[in-house]
Amino acid sequence: MPRMSLRVALQMDPMESLKIAGDSTFHIMLAAQARGHRLYHYRPDHMTWRGERLYAEAREVVNLQRVVGDHFTFGETVKLDLGKDIDVVWMRQDPPFDLNYITATHLLERITDETLVVNDPASVRNAPEKLFVLDYARFMPPTMITRSLDETRAFLAEHKEIVVKPIYGNAGSAVFRIGADGANLAALVELFGEMWVESFMVQAFLKDVSQGDKRIVLVDGEVAGAINRIPGKGEIRSNLAAGGTAAKTELTPDELEICAALGPELKKRGLLFVGIDVIGGKWLTEINVTSPTGIVAIDAFNGTDTGGLIWDAVERKLAERAAG
């Protein structure tokens, strides 16, 4: 049976700014284009709620290709009713996970009875990366959420080396390693207090990070693949956006156990595309649900088609909705 052509709206960053060589959203869009789906692009600030309907000023995206500087063409601007005119909305703009992001989840939540929104906006709002992971503390390294310098000093005294990072940071930004002497800890806590109103995360430093930080992608609760991200020289951050390099990898028994524990809950929450981070083959550090990445490298190393797997899952969910 031939596939139905879907109308897909992507709430995302500017098309012009995409680094297409490794961008997961672009990878998903190419897979959609290959299936004949129609794609529309809009930014969060292009949405309008009026008369109990949610609209977006969007542009159709055509002629997608992996050619740097010539990777897309826009059609005319159209006003879309995201509930009536669109089959699937993708929330794929990068963090920060701020009030603008949260507002977008509230607006999109109002159309989920009409349109499939991926990932589910209420679940995205209720599962920030560094807080949702606390549900699985048994897999995590020693972790603390605090704003207290005294508590942080006591944690450092216990664990000798720690990592301090903002609770809503992304792409490895503002991640600091503090040694046993505590040099600059007070200044760092002061800086965090000035920069962010939220608490920050403190974790025991894992020496195994030098061997890499594994990104494992789950699609509708099932493992789709993984890459090992290796920090650059003199770095503890392995994020590809922070200079890390990707390497082919396999999953350890502990990592498979983590995925088996998470998978059913991710599926239940409508978190269809998720990336988890694991260090040392066993330490879960984050569950990324806002705009996870990594599938381009995974497919390059493994010869897989994660974009296709994602669209298989989307189409399956739409069929289930249609069947009631």
Side-chain angles (χ1 to χ4, degrees):
M1 179 181 293
R3 289 190 175 98
M4 179 184 301
S5 177
L6 302 177
R7 290 166 62 90
V8 181
L10 294 108
Q11 178 177 302
M12 57 184 287
D13 298 315
M15 287 293 298
E16 297 83 357
S17 68
L18 298 184
K19 297 178 180 178
I20 64 171
D23 189 273
S24 291
T25 304
F26 191 73
H27 202 57
I28 291 169
M29 295 173 77
L30 283 173
Q33 178 180 258
R35 296 188 177 209
H37 301 329
R38 295 183 67 179
L39 304 175
Y40 297 87
H41 172 280
Y42 73 94
R43 300 292 309 284
D45 53 356
H46 295 155
M47 284 194 295
T48 298
W49 176 265
R50 182 180 180 186
E52 299 188 358
R53 305 302 308 171
L54 181 61
Y55 301 97
E57 295 290 331
R59 290 180 288 183
E60 188 168 4
V61 185
V62 295
N63 300 326
L64 288 171
Q65 56 184 355
R66 284 201 186 277
V67 179
V68 176
D70 187 26
H71 55 283
F72 75 99
T73 303
F74 272 141
E76 295 295 319
T77 299
V78 293
K79 184 176 181 178
L80 298 174
D81 182 320
L82 294 178
K84 291 181 177 179
D85 299 335
I86 293 296
D87 300 297
V88 184
V89 172
W90 274 92
M91 255 192 112
R92 285 293 302 177
Q93 83 267 20
D94 287 339
F97 189 81
D98 54 14
L99 284 174
N100 183 46
Y101 208 111
I102 290 171
T103 299
T105 68
H106 280 292
L107 291 174
L108 289 173
E109 188 180 3
R110 293 177 177 273
I111 65 166
T112 54
D113 60 336
E114 299 177 277
T115 301
L116 177 64
V117 182
V118 184
N119 284 327
D120 179 83
S123 292
V124 168
R125 185 173 65 246
N126 293 331
E129 273 84 353
K130 295 180 182 69
L131 293 175
F132 179 31
V133 70
L134 300 179
D135 288 357
Y136 301 92
R138 64 190 183 277
F139 300 121
M140 296 179 69
T143 298
M144 181 172 66
I145 309 291
T146 189
R147 284 178 64 87
S148 167
L149 175 58
D150 288 342
E151 291 288 350
T152 308
R153 279 177 169 155
F155 193 87
L156 175 60
E158 180 181 355
H159 297 288
K160 310 307 179 189
E161 286 187 278
I162 60 173
V163 172
V164 182
K165 49 190 173 182
I167 202 77
Y168 294 116
N170 69 295
S173 61
V175 176
F176 293 89
R177 175 183 177 182
I178 301 292
D181 61 2
N184 295 319
L185 178 59
L188 180 62
V189 170
E190 180 181 334
L191 176 64
F192 271 46
E194 292 176 355
M195 291 291 296
W196 295 285
V197 298
E198 304 89 7
S199 299
F200 49 86
M201 174 175 274
V202 187
Q203 289 183 317
F205 175 68
L206 301 173
K207 291 181 172 60
D208 287 340
V209 74
S210 64
Q211 303 302 313
D213 178 356
K214 202 170 291 186
R215 164 56 58 88
I216 305 170
V217 167
L218 295 98
V219 174
D220 204 21
E222 300 291 334
V223 174
I227 52 170
N228 194 29
R229 301 172 300 175
I230 302 171
K233 185 177 180 180
E235 268 283 2
I236 64 167
R237 301 177 301 169
S238 57
N239 308 70
L240 302 185
T245 56
K248 185 177 175 64
T249 191
E250 301 291 337
L251 297 190
T252 68
D254 286 337
E255 288 165 342
L256 290 170
E257 181 185 354
I258 291 169
C259 293
L262 267 63
E265 185 63 22
L266 300 178
K267 186 179 180 72
K268 176 183 174 183
R269 291 181 180 226
L271 296 170
L272 185 141
F273 178 19
V274 174
I276 68 171
D277 298 337
V278 181
I279 295 175
K282 62 179 181 179
W283 297 111
L284 176 66
T285 59
E286 291 188 15
I287 303 173
N288 298 276
V289 304
T290 50
S291 186
T293 61
I295 62 174
V296 177
I298 287 172
D299 286 350
F301 283 123
N302 299 333
T304 49
D305 180 16
T306 307
L309 282 178
I310 287 169
W311 283 107
D312 286 345
V314 167
E315 292 165 12
R316 185 168 61 248
K317 286 189 175 295
L318 287 171
E320 291 169 356
R321 288 164 67 109

